[in-house]
Amino acid sequence: MSERLSWKSAWAIAQRDLSARFRGLRLLLVCLFLGVGALAAIGTLTGAIEQELSTRGRTILGGDIEVAVWQRAAGAQEMAAFKALGPVSGGLRMQAMARAGDLAAPIELKAVDARWPLVGAFKLKDGRTTGAPPPGEAWIAEGAAERLGVAPGAEIEVGSARLKVGGIIADEPDRLGEGFTLGPVVLVAADFPAKAGLTAPGAMYRSKYRIVLPPAADPNAVVDVLKAKFPSGGFEARTRDKAAPGAERFVGRMGEFLVLVGLAALVIAGIGIGGGVSSYLEARRTSIATLKVLGATSGDIARIYLLQIAAAALVGSGVGLVAGVLVTPLLGEALGSLLPVAPGLVLDWFALGRAALYGLLVALIFAAPPLLAARRFPAMALMRARVSPLAANWRDSLLPVGLGIAGIAALALVTAKQPLVTAWFLAGSAGLLGLLGGLGLAIRRIAARLPRPERPFLRLALANLHRPGAQTGALVTALGFGLSAFVLLAAVQTSLDANIAARVPQRAPDYFVLDVPRDRADEFQTAVRQVAPKAEVRMVPALRGAILAYGPNGAMTRVSDLKEIPEDAWPLRGERGLTYSDEVPEGNVVTAGQWWPKGYAGEPLVSIDEDLAKVLDLKLGDKLTIGLLGVERTARIASFRRIDWDSMGFNYVLVFSPNAIADAPHNMAATINLPKNEKHGGLLRALVRAFPASSVIEVGGVLTQARDLLRQVSLAILSAASVAVLAGIAVLLGAIAAARAARTYDNVILRVLGASRRQLLLLQLAEYALLAALLALVALVLGNALAWLVIVELFKFDWLPGWPQELAVLGLGLALVIGFALAGSLPLLRAKPAQALREL
């Protein structure tokens, strides 16, 4: 009985056989580089953004907690409670219009007191570090200066007052915490909005109070105490650990999706790894047989080649990690205007370790079967493997493959923020692998039972699909994944583009106008029609309020008592727009219940969006309580409505009967629709002059911002999916490499029998074209199914694929696949029969 080789001796033999350039294992290197590099870049970037949001939370928020209320300032008791907690900085935010000569632009007016900023430093372009501007001056964003054509020292008008431009903003520490705005910021002193007539009763503004707590205080506990003390205050509170919740949700979801895409690319590349390892071991078949003849045990063989494959896997993963880290600053620079990313190289050890572990586990799963096959067979069987293929035995691979799959599943689920989505992805990947494997087996069996065609090339092509040692299963998996990746990419891209067009519609109003005085509504319509006689003007009452409680009378659920607000119950988060009407709003359809009659004067009623009613399990007759200007008001639910959100008109989740809320101070909001292809440049100037306290918003600029944001999301998905396409191509090359030895033998025999190189090439073309045609339909179904999950289930968008584009991309994919297959087969045609026969 021969003595077992030590690991040191095995490594010495492995080193002698292992090329410094990893010849024969380069496909494994490329596959791991692609997959691990993508995961490292995605994980590092996501971790860097989340860490920046976390560490800069106080600066982004402007304090430890922020409390906001709509259409009023904090009362005396509320301010006393705030000041008892620590230093307080207050102010307000509102939409307004700035004017300079004939130019006007919508702005976000930000009024701050002398304490601002409590945290961080505010800097101007001229190098000054300062705080609130002095009375009569304003700090303005560079975008506002460009739109108004002004520079420091010039004057602008906001509302009924004039301001001197004191400086251009360079760095506003709490800018990200302010969220999305409809215009560049203009920063003024706290008392300016009142002096400019912008805070009259009914005006739409939000008062914000930032508070710095003692070091030992828990911000979340403080917020709970404040809400309990002032239950009807309508407080919208944020803490330093949730300074920018919208950005955090976006980064979290997008990051998790991209990680899944990267993992999918790595799983796809894993099939290429299996093919590459099979090809590598096949090329060393005689060496393995020789080692066995010389006394090497199966364990010795496994150790030698395991060390070679492990060395290649570590190098491929390591290079992928380095590439992922190096590309992160470039991605951060591209996203710097949208999200906070620390400059320079960022090392997220958790993300890098996760990417490396994924890579090594995938390498284990797909490299184990061919490696175990090499150690199992005796020397003579290996010597004759070219003419008598070795029988497969999947039982040997159960343990390593099972451990690898369990490791990937556990790692993915433990680190997932949406475990259910991740679980579905893992199940889908396993199902897809099983489906393609079963399809490959079915094709082999069907091909063996089909009648033989009369034409020799078709007969040989068909025979190649089911002959002993045929790589049909690997090729089906490779082609299936590769073509499915092309279809997935096209379906996601076209559906996103269609959603951009549908969700940011072309039929939106030309102007939105906020804060039109209720007693000047007729004057407003007259002013519009003097400039644009054919314009359509729609006006509705506009109020703000928060849902405080809902449910059956006597058993209502308080929103403040909810531990977590349901995902689709977004109207429960803070204050929302409210309105009242005698008629069903335009674009709405009553789906249950009845609308109140005109002039109704009975019990206060409310109509609710049917989607919100389903989420909250509301019934007709239930009660709803809102907080309006610090006062609780309760109404009975009279009807549910289906809302046409795509219209971008006035769409309110809650519409009340007039007697419920019409007595509260409020203004009007208006939309203006101009006739198609008709422009009235003077309308904006006329409205700004006649209604200086109102905000006139050109919708075109808002739509451009929204389209740009959605296109950036689309670009991120396109980039990540491209990695999966590259991995699919690598899989195809791996399958061709794995079949190279058998193909060489077949080609040599056919050459000896008189076949020309042209005939051999046509034979390869016929075989790959036959497989590709069979798999094109499968790829179309699989790719669209995966794309549907991404678009509908993950991003909650509508399923709007572009079928012509998908078919075109699938055709391009088929051409590329066949092209790569033929290119990979060209070296086989150059094999010399005499030399190949001597090596059998």
Side-chain angles (χ1 to χ4, degrees), residues 162-317:
R162 301 182 70 85
L163 287 165
K164 176 183 176 183
V165 178
I168 307 297
I169 298 172
D171 185 15
E172 187 182 356
D174 54 356
R175 179 71 265 151
L176 184 63
E178 299 288 0
F180 180 79
T181 62
L182 295 177
V185 66
V186 171
L187 207 146
V188 297
D191 60 350
F192 174 79
K195 292 180 179 179
L198 299 174
T199 56
M204 282 289 180
Y205 64 91
R206 181 164 52 166
S207 298
K208 288 188 175 183
Y209 301 90
R210 275 80 178 267
I211 307 170
V212 173
L213 302 175
D218 179 5
N220 292 293
V222 171
V223 167
D224 291 340
V225 170
L226 286 175
K227 288 186 175 182
K229 189 172 183 179
F230 303 100
S232 60
F235 289 167
E236 293 181 8
R238 289 189 293 162
T239 59
R240 64 185 180 225
D241 58 336
K242 296 292 182 183
E248 289 177 358
R249 281 195 296 270
F250 172 77
V251 171
R253 285 196 174 187
M254 179 58 71
E256 183 162 10
F257 166 70
L258 294 179
V259 165
L260 291 179
V261 171
L263 184 55
L266 191 56
V267 170
I268 295 171
I271 304 169
I273 291 171
V277 171
S278 295
S279 175
Y280 178 73
L281 293 175
E282 171 62 25
R284 279 150 181 77
R285 176 174 49 82
T286 55
S287 298
I288 295 171
T290 302
L291 286 171
K292 286 194 171 188
V293 169
L294 294 175
T297 66
S298 296
D300 296 334
I301 300 298
R303 268 188 291 277
I304 292 169
Y305 289 98
L306 175 63
L307 287 171
Q308 291 184 358
I309 294 167
L314 288 172
V315 170
S317 298

Side-chain angles (χ1 to χ4, degrees), residues 470-486:
Q471 292 290 317
T472 304
L475 286 172
V476 165
T477 305
L479 291 172
F481 264 120
L483 294 176
S484 296
F486 277 103

Side-chain angles (χ1 to χ4, degrees), residues 494-509:
T494 57
S495 197
L496 279 174
D497 288 342
N499 273 277
I500 291 172
R503 289 176 175 256
V504 188
Q506 307 299 325
R507 59 188 178 96

Side-chain angles (χ1 to χ4, degrees), residues 54 154 172 184 200 202 228 350 458 470 482 487 572 588 636 659 712 726 738 768:
S54 175
E172 187 182 356
F350 173 77
L458 288 180
V487 173
L572 301 185
N588 289 205
R636 179 170 59 83
N659 65 324
Q712 286 174 329
L726 291 175
Y768 287 120

Side-chain angles (χ1 to χ4, degrees), residues 38 108 187 231 248 266 283 310 319 372 382 487 535 585 619 669 675 739 757 807:
E108 181 206 11
L187 207 146
E248 289 177 358
L266 191 56
V319 175
L372 291 173
L382 290 170
V487 173
K619 305 291 189 298
R757 291 181 178 178
L807 293 175

Side-chain angles (χ1 to χ4, degrees), residues 669-702:
T671 59
I672 302 173
N673 285 281
L674 299 175
K676 190 175 182 180
N677 299 325
E678 185 174 331
K679 302 295 181 183
H680 290 282
L683 179 59
L684 177 62
R685 292 192 295 272
L687 291 177
V688 169
R689 288 196 185 98
F691 298 87
S694 301
S695 298
V696 185
I697 302 165
E698 288 187 279
V699 177
V702 179

